[in-house]
Amino acid sequence: MTALLEVAGVSKRFRGLKAVSEVSFAVPQGGIVALIGPNGAGKTTTFNLIAGVFPPDEGRVMLQGRSITGLRPNQVCAAGIGRTFQIVKPFGDLSVEENVLVGALARERSVETARRQARAVLERLGLADQAARPARSLTLPDRKRLEVARALATRPTLLLLDEVLAGLRPTEVDRMAEVLRELNRREGLTILMIEHVMRAVMALSDHVVVLDHGEKIAEGTPAGIVADPRVIESYLGAEGI
Amino acid sequence: MTGRGILLLALAGALLLAAPLVADRYVLSVLTTVLWFAYVGQAWNVMMGFSGLLSLGHALYVGLGAYVAAALFVHFGIGPWLGLWAAMLAAVAAGSFIGFLSFRFGVRGVHFALLTIAFAEVARIGFDHIGWLGGSAGFFIPVAEEAGNDLANLRGSPVLFYYVALALVAGALALARALLHSRLGYQWLAVREEPDAAEASGVDLFRARMSAVVVSSALTALGGVFQAFYFNNLFPEQVFSMGRSIEIILPAIVGGIGTLFGPILGAFILTPLGELLTYLIEVTGYDLPGLKQLFYGVALVAIVVFRPEGVWPWLARRLGLARRPGETAVPPNREGTR
């Protein structure tokens, strides 16, 4: 498999504090890669470096062999990366459909065509019957789905998911996991996910990257990772699985 | 809008068209003022209501538009229909400069608002010292002969100005509505709601914000051109004043920021209220200094406290004029209150 996304030795310091330190990993085309680690390990910072929220101090980010290092978030979106936010950021006063419409307008100039695309995405994520409601009135699980819907509507080749399963009930986790698996299998969507819900990580991902204190401490198959002593010590602990 | 909303809009339009047939000079002048504030309120709303950019210095664009068109007319004999392009250009240039400074260097929120005030104040003081434009003594356009209406030079009777103001309001309403349902309009709303998420969804924040400033300042400049030719006099202390900037934003706040009809409704509430107070003070003879401002202030506080989202959204719901997202079971027929 060829790498769709290649993160090569990226580092980021905040006022002297190394949030991410020389992290490298690759996301193969069509894969589902999970990024795990304890709180403060630098997972979201790594995401933000990929998504263009801030440029890395060192290192490069390559998408399909082209450097996207230092691009603005809207340019990263145009390059083909869609993202969700850990703390959901819906356009509160807009309707659910309009939220997704904004995402669709990233690649579509006609509002009517974009609206049709938005409806299709809402249908797919089971939000169609909420389309006309203001986004701020949604429950947390629905807001998380809306995050995914809006990112999907930008028609990404790579989807970055920042803890979209956290805070959901087990049935909702299964439902979301099913949607993601289907997108991956049917449409070849590549996914890089930050996740704490180990059950979902084990079930969904085919490759796991573990961060701790801003450094990559391990990577491998889900089964290999949960057996890795370093990972158990720093993150999973005895009761983690 | 609902059927009832469209009916009411048509009725209001017809009444406004017919108003000069029955209204006397005084009423007509009040109505013209109402329409003027409705218009510039709509223009301001493009920035604050649609894109979340708080401008507290919109008098700058009114003043630039007014002075440029008036100067071209008085000094070079260039009529307002040509002059308005130069007026809009001047306002857009000023707005773009402020926008560029702010959006390139990360000036946001309150600090952006302060910057808009600063520029308006600089203009106010600066124009006081431009002798070519009359300085602080004022700049005057030769008063119109009321006998003949000259639309080409915007010289004529109050009725002419009334209809021009009405056309401005109708035009701005149509433009704002079209923008709001366009790709750019949705991107503006997204930027207003959550800039980070908008940017992650492919919106170029700089371009979106700049375009809002350009549209808003150009529209506001037209209001300035109208003002210059309607009142025939311009004083920097008035046109560029902080008080004028506040007067411009009040109709939209009272009527409903970010709504299409809010600025119009707000103007129809505030201006007549002010006139009524003047009338009451005259009739009762209780002319205490600042009494009018006090009443005005209390009325404002009441509206802001009891209808923080503005009067229009509340009225629209009560009278069934428009639907908010989520209030209808049929998604396709959902225009919201915007």
Side-chain angles (χ1 to χ4, degrees), chain B residues 119-324:
Chain B
F119 272 85
E121 285 294 284
V122 165
R124 180 177 66 81
I125 296 161
F127 274 75
D128 259 350
H129 298 282
I130 302 178
W132 188 62
L133 297 174
S136 58
F139 191 54
F140 300 90
I141 297 178
V143 175
E145 293 167 35
E146 293 211 4
N149 282 332
D150 180 1
L151 188 60
N153 284 318
L154 213 55
R155 309 279 69 199
S157 69
V159 174
L160 174 79
F161 282 99
Y162 172 82
Y163 279 119
V164 170
L166 189 58
L168 281 176
V169 171
L173 178 64
L175 180 68
R177 189 184 188 283
L179 281 170
L180 215 45
H181 291 81
S182 73
R183 181 172 188 259
L184 181 62
Y186 284 112
Q187 295 188 331
W188 281 344
L189 295 175
V191 170
R192 179 192 75 187
E193 295 290 312
E194 276 290 348
D196 292 343
E199 203 177 20
S201 305
V203 179
D204 185 331
L205 292 184
F206 183 80
R207 272 178 59 180
R209 287 181 170 137
M210 272 306 237
S211 59
V213 173
V214 165
V215 171
S216 181
S217 57
L219 287 176
T220 310
L222 279 187
V225 176
F226 178 88
Q227 193 196 357
F229 284 80
Y230 181 53
F231 289 113
N232 300 311
N233 60 69
L234 294 169
F235 297 91
E237 291 302 324
Q238 289 172 6
V239 285
F240 288 111
S241 75
M242 185 70 213
R244 173 53 52 85
S245 286
I246 291 173
E247 277 182 307
I248 289 170
I249 75 179
L250 286 182
I253 292 175
V254 168
I257 293 174
T259 65
L260 281 176
F261 291 98
I264 301 174
L265 182 67
F268 270 95
I269 292 171
L270 286 175
T271 306
L273 190 69
E275 292 298 322
L276 182 69
L277 285 173
T278 309
Y279 173 76
L280 284 178
I281 286 168
E282 267 174 31
V283 169
T284 56
Y286 275 117
D287 192 9
L288 294 168
L291 189 64
K292 187 178 162 186
Q293 281 76 7
L294 188 70
F295 265 112
Y296 211 59
V298 169
L300 261 175
V301 168
I303 288 168
V304 171
V305 168
F306 294 110
R307 295 279 161 256
E309 87 278 35
V311 178
W312 168 254
W314 168 76
L315 194 72
R317 276 199 304 277
R318 286 295 295 261
L319 301 183
L321 304 179
R323 298 185 186 92
R324 283 176 81 82

Side-chain angles (χ1 to χ4, degrees), chain B residues 39 64-65 68 83-93 214 217-219 221-222 225:
Chain B
Y39 172 78
L64 283 178
V68 167
L84 65 85
W85 299 102
M88 287 199 289
L89 206 65
V92 166
V214 165
S217 57
L219 287 176
L222 279 187
V225 176

Side-chain angles (χ1 to χ4, degrees), chain A residues 39-100:
Chain A
N39 287 327
K43 303 184 298 291
T44 294
T45 304
T46 304
F47 252 40
N48 285 337
L49 291 173
I50 298 169
V53 176
F54 29 66
D57 298 328
E58 293 151 33
R60 287 179 313 156
V61 182
M62 315 277 286
L63 184 73
Q64 288 166 321
R66 287 179 301 128
S67 172
I68 56 165
T69 321
L71 293 187
R72 300 285 307 158
N74 59 303
Q75 296 169 318
V76 173
C77 172
I81 297 181
R83 74 161 299 178
T84 68
F85 290 88
Q86 183 187 357
I87 297 158
V88 293
K89 293 180 188 285
F91 306 130
D93 266 359
L94 305 194
S95 73
V96 168
E97 182 181 294
E98 285 165 341
N99 267 261
V100 184

